[in-house]
């Protein structure tokens, strides 16, 4: 489903991937699709993955477990959360979907890709299918290659929020050479460029690094105000971690005349709306402006 808006004579179409599923939302649905097929093919019954306390990926995996009958285990960054699940909307929901948690220290969490650490997890939990943090692997990228289709051939620009870079890699792979894919990283990090290059099959892309708002899961009043105004104007909810920053960036680039006259721009709404409740709790505790809409 697309929604089209016009800003300063520019046609902006928003592809509502967020509407695919309330909890397996947007790009997380795409990233999990072929992994689910692989888990079934391997006859495994447990998914194990990693994430932070408000992770869209964690909740998506929990929801997949519930829907497809897999056991799910979430290795969560931050030991302090163990007694605080009921105050965390993401983790509460994941628990409701049947996910089992293991809360580990931030130090220990850094071993998430380490073979020895994974081996200790196998001793603890038995055999499982491992999904990396954020869910990015080759099968995830294959799924993300289905986000942009031949229906989108007429667009000159495709704009996408970037976390690990898996989603944009799939988008690049299914884009046309004459299209330009713009990535808006939600975090600071020079490693992204290289990570994307590993998976992407073209060079028609660029990362715009000016709209991370201080880093991953950091926000400002300016960003929240923008999201609230955007919602009032277009009734489209954006999430504070990824799509809010990306759409803010696109609007700012339009203001700065970055795009040529008559450029047709596609914005991918990759979802993430489940994170609004958690972010609002953080904003409230810090006496900051809150997001005025609720996804669910
Ligand atoms: C996870 C996520 C992203 C980033 O996807 P990557 O493949 O990690 O780059 C973008 N938007 C939303 C809403 C997400 O949940």
């Amino acid at each position: 489903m697309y929604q089209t808006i016009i800003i300063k004579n520019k046609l902006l179409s928003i592809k509502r991937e967020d509407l695919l599923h309330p909890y397996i939302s947007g790009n997380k649905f795409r990233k999990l699709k072929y992994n689910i097929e692989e888990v079934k093919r391997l006859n495994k019954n447990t998914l194990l993955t990693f994430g932070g306390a408000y992770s869209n990926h964690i909740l998506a995996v929990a929801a997949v477990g519930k829907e497809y009958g897999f056991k799910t285990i979430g290795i969560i960054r931050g030991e302090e959360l163990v007694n605080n699940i009921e105050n965390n909307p993401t983790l509460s929901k994941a628990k409701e979907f049947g996910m089992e948690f293991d809360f580990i220290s931030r130090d220990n969490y850094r071993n998430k890709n380490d073979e020895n650490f994974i081996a200790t997890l196998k001793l603890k939990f038995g055999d499982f299918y491992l999904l990396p943090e954020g869910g990015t692997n080759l099968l995830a990228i294959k799924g993300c290659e289905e986000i942009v289709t031949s229906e989108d051939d007429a667009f000159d620009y495709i704009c996408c929020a970037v976390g690990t870079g898996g989603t944009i890699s799939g988008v690049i792979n299914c884009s046309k050479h004459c299209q330009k894919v713009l990535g808006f990283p939600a975090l600071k990090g020079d490693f992204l460029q290289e990570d994307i290059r590993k998976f992407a099959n073209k060079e028609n892309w660029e990362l715009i690094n000016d709209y991370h708002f201080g880093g991953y899961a950091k926000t400002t009043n300016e960003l929240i105000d923008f999201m609230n105004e955007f919602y009032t104007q277009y009734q489209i909810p954006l999430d504070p971690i990824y799509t809010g920053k990306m759409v803010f960036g696109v609007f700012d680039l339009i203001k700065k005349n970055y795009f040529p006259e008559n450029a047709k721009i596609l914005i991918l709404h990759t979802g993430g709306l489940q994170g609004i409740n958690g972010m609002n709790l953080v904003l409230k505790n810090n006496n900051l402006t809150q997001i005025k809409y609720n996804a669910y």
Side-chain angles (χ1 to χ4, degrees), residues 193-205:
Q193 193 91 11
E194 234 169 274
D195 286 354
I196 296 169
R197 211 165 274 138
K198 270 186 239 157
F199 294 119
N201 67 9
K202 292 184 203 73
E203 298 192 1
N204 59 344
W205 56 279

Side-chain angles (χ1 to χ4, degrees), residues 7-274:
I7 313 286
K8 283 187 77 183
N9 289 327
K10 295 273 173 313
L11 213 57
L12 284 184
S13 290
I14 301 172
K15 196 165 193 176
R16 298 288 306 269
E17 291 274 301
D18 57 307
L19 300 174
L20 287 175
H21 190 288
Y23 299 110
I24 314 172
S25 105
N27 64 338
K28 300 305 185 280
F29 179 90
R30 304 287 186 181
K31 292 174 91 166
L32 287 165
K33 177 179 168 189
Y34 290 107
N35 279 290
I36 295 167
E37 286 187 8
E38 182 67 2
V39 180
K40 287 187 190 157
R41 197 184 65 80
L42 295 170
N43 264 322
K44 300 208 178 200
N45 57 18
T46 304
L47 302 175
L48 180 141
T49 196
F50 295 86
Y54 301 101
S55 164
N56 297 328
H57 169 67
I58 283 288
L59 186 56
V61 171
V64 160
K66 166 104 175 150
E67 220 161 289
Y68 294 83
F70 302 126
K71 189 175 163 196
T72 56
I73 299 163
I75 311 295
I76 310 293
R77 185 181 58 229
E79 288 162 310
E80 73 285 357
L81 294 160
V82 68
N83 297 317
N84 215 9
I85 296 174
E86 58 288 354
N87 294 324
N88 180 300
T90 304
L91 296 180
S92 311
K93 199 79 199 167
K95 190 177 168 187
E96 196 184 308
F97 288 148
M99 183 175 259
E100 185 185 329
F101 300 122
D102 193 12
F103 295 94
I104 65 176
S105 68
R106 285 170 172 72
D107 264 352
N108 207 5
Y109 191 85
R110 288 194 194 100
N111 298 322
K112 60 184 183 277
N113 298 322
D114 181 273
E115 265 176 50
N116 292 326
F117 181 61
I118 304 297
T120 63
L121 291 174
K122 293 227 157 147
L123 287 177
K124 193 165 176 181
F125 295 107
D127 190 33
F128 51 72
Y129 184 85
L130 176 73
L131 287 160
E133 182 186 46
T136 293
N137 58 17
L138 283 172
L139 291 173
I141 289 163
K142 181 178 170 192
C144 291
E145 289 172 359
E146 297 173 357
I147 295 176
V148 168
T149 67
S150 54
E151 280 182 14
D152 303 313
D153 283 356
F155 291 104
D156 305 304
Y157 290 86
I158 302 169
C159 303
C160 179
V162 176
T164 62
T167 303
I168 193 173
S169 298
V171 169
I172 293 164
N173 293 350
C174 61
S175 68
K176 300 264 171 266
H177 281 280
C178 59
Q179 295 178 313
K180 177 120 191 217
V181 182
L182 297 181
F184 295 78
L187 65 167
K188 294 190 234 178
D190 298 330
F191 52 89
L192 274 174
Q193 193 91 11
E194 234 169 274
D195 286 354
I196 296 169
R197 211 165 274 138
K198 270 186 239 157
F199 294 119
N201 67 9
K202 292 184 203 73
E203 298 192 1
N204 59 344
W205 56 279
E206 187 184 332
L207 293 184
I208 312 278
N209 281 303
D210 304 326
Y211 303 100
H212 57 64
F213 288 84
Y216 187 71
K218 301 275 196 314
T219 64
T220 65
N221 277 335
E222 192 188 17
L223 175 65
I224 305 295
D225 286 343
F226 170 81
M227 289 165 53
N228 284 337
E229 269 167 46
F230 187 83
Y231 184 77
T232 305
Q233 194 108 70
Y234 309 109
Q235 283 76 54
I236 301 173
L238 300 171
D239 86 290
I241 315 280
Y242 294 103
T243 56
K245 293 180 180 183
M246 181 260 295
V247 176
F248 185 104
V250 173
F251 272 49
D252 200 49
L253 290 181
I254 290 174
K255 243 190 261 165
K256 292 174 173 159
N257 295 317
Y258 172 93
F259 298 101
E261 194 81 10
N262 300 323
K264 290 198 199 66
I265 304 166
L266 179 65
I267 288 177
L268 301 175
H269 193 323
T270 40
L273 302 176
Q274 71 82 26

